[in-house]
Amino acid sequence: MKINDKNLAAFATSGNQVDKEGYLMKKGEGNKSFAKRWFILKGNLLFYFEKKSDREPIGVIILEGSTIELAESEMEEHFCFKVVFPSRSYILSAESHEVMEQWMKSLACASYDYVKLMAAELQRQLNELSKPQKLDSENTAFGGTLYQHFQSLETDNSSEASSSHRHVPTPPPRNRSIRTGEKKTFDSLHKEFGAKILRDQEARWALSSDNQLSKKTTQVQLSVLKQTSLIDL
């Protein structure tokens, strides 16, 4: 498209925000021949000048909605590529294959849609990177909470154990009949404990004998009472 806007021309010639610049051959729309033009890429605007020293561009290509493709029909003679729109195409030619690839890459990345897609992709990657950090911080906080909880449980258990340990009474010492340093033979032990057992048995026998004697006495007394009562009758 042709331009006459002074503001746009001033923006084209200003030295700010120049993404790429250089000479390219541009195929004309009417005569189909190639003409050498100086191109300056600023954002999504591709300005072209008749000469590098010109103060105003002779045209501009707004790259929104375009695709960058190889111009296969023109590849035999030139390193050609094209800026394709639904209504028309701009065919450009570079001096080498390397320069052609550089221009094609720069033009393909110049549109606002591409920048928007790149920003969305970068945001997605940033979100993916921030997820593990968030999980790690949450796990760290959760682990710290668990650690404090178990520490408090251990403190409570230790205090309870120490308090219960303090309140447990000490069992009294056992009464040992045999002193630790004293040694006794089997005969002495047999005599000592055997005599005690015999005494206990004799006491039980005596008690049982007394009980039997008292029973017999009671029976005799009852029989005597019965006979006395019969005589009185």
Side-chain angles (χ1 to χ4, degrees):
M1 61 180 269
K2 300 295 182 179
I3 61 170
N4 294 315
D5 193 339
K6 298 296 182 180
N7 294 330
L8 190 60
F11 175 72
T13 56
S14 65
N16 299 329
Q17 196 181 350
V18 176
D19 298 319
K20 191 171 181 58
E21 60 183 358
Y23 279 106
L24 291 173
M25 303 294 292
K26 178 180 177 295
K27 188 174 183 179
E29 185 177 1
N31 55 14
K32 303 298 181 182
S33 61
F34 283 89
K36 190 175 183 180
R37 298 288 182 259
W38 177 256
F39 284 83
I40 296 178
L41 177 63
K42 289 189 174 186
N44 60 351
L45 299 177
L46 181 62
F47 298 95
Y48 53 94
F49 300 77
E50 186 175 358
K51 297 179 182 179
K52 182 179 179 180
S53 58
D54 289 348
R55 301 300 301 171
E56 293 185 3
I58 58 176
V60 61
I61 302 173
I62 301 175
L63 298 173
E64 291 300 324
S66 66
T67 58
I68 311 302
E69 303 174 4
L70 286 173
E72 297 179 355
S73 60
E74 307 289 341
M75 287 296 291
E76 293 182 0
E77 297 181 1
H78 308 280
F79 298 100
C80 294
F81 61 97
K82 56 185 177 179
V83 182
V84 181
F85 291 93
S87 58
R88 63 162 295 180
S89 297
Y90 294 89
I91 299 176
L92 305 174
S93 174
E95 61 183 6
S96 66
H97 187 272
E98 182 181 359
V99 174
M100 179 189 70
E101 288 184 346
Q102 292 175 359
W103 271 104
M104 289 181 69
K105 184 181 295 184
S106 298
L107 295 175
C109 299
S111 66
Y112 174 76
D113 291 336
Y114 177 83
V115 175
K116 186 177 179 180
L117 290 175
M118 286 298 297
E121 177 64 19
L122 291 175
Q123 184 63 42
R124 186 190 67 80
Q125 295 180 7
L126 181 61
N127 294 336
E128 291 294 329
L129 291 175
S130 62
K131 283 181 180 180
Q133 296 178 358
K134 183 178 181 181
L135 290 176
D136 291 340
S137 62
E138 291 178 354
N139 291 334
T140 303
F142 181 68
T145 304
L146 284 180
Y147 177 76
Q148 293 176 358
H149 176 67
F150 285 117
Q151 284 291 103
S152 63
L153 288 179
E154 290 179 358
T155 304
D156 294 339
N157 292 332
S158 62
S159 61
E160 290 178 0
S162 61
S163 61
S164 61
H165 178 71
R166 288 195 300 268
H167 288 87
V168 172
T170 304
R174 295 181 180 179
N175 294 326
R176 297 180 180 272
S177 60
I178 303 175
R179 296 179 181 177
T180 306
E182 185 179 0
K183 294 183 179 179
K184 292 187 177 183
T185 61
F186 177 77
D187 292 336
S188 61
L189 292 173
H190 178 67
K191 290 178 181 180
E192 181 180 352
F193 290 102
K196 183 177 180 181
I197 293 171
L198 288 176
R199 287 195 299 270
D200 293 340
Q201 287 182 353
E202 289 175 355
R204 285 196 296 272
W205 289 339
L207 181 61
S208 61
S209 298
D210 293 340
N211 291 334
Q212 291 177 0
L213 181 60
S214 62
K215 287 180 181 180
K216 288 181 180 179
T217 304
T218 303
Q219 290 177 358
V220 171
Q221 290 176 353
L222 288 174
S223 62
V224 172
L225 289 174
K226 286 181 181 180
Q227 291 177 0
T228 304
S229 60
L230 288 174
I231 294 172
D232 292 337
L233 291 173

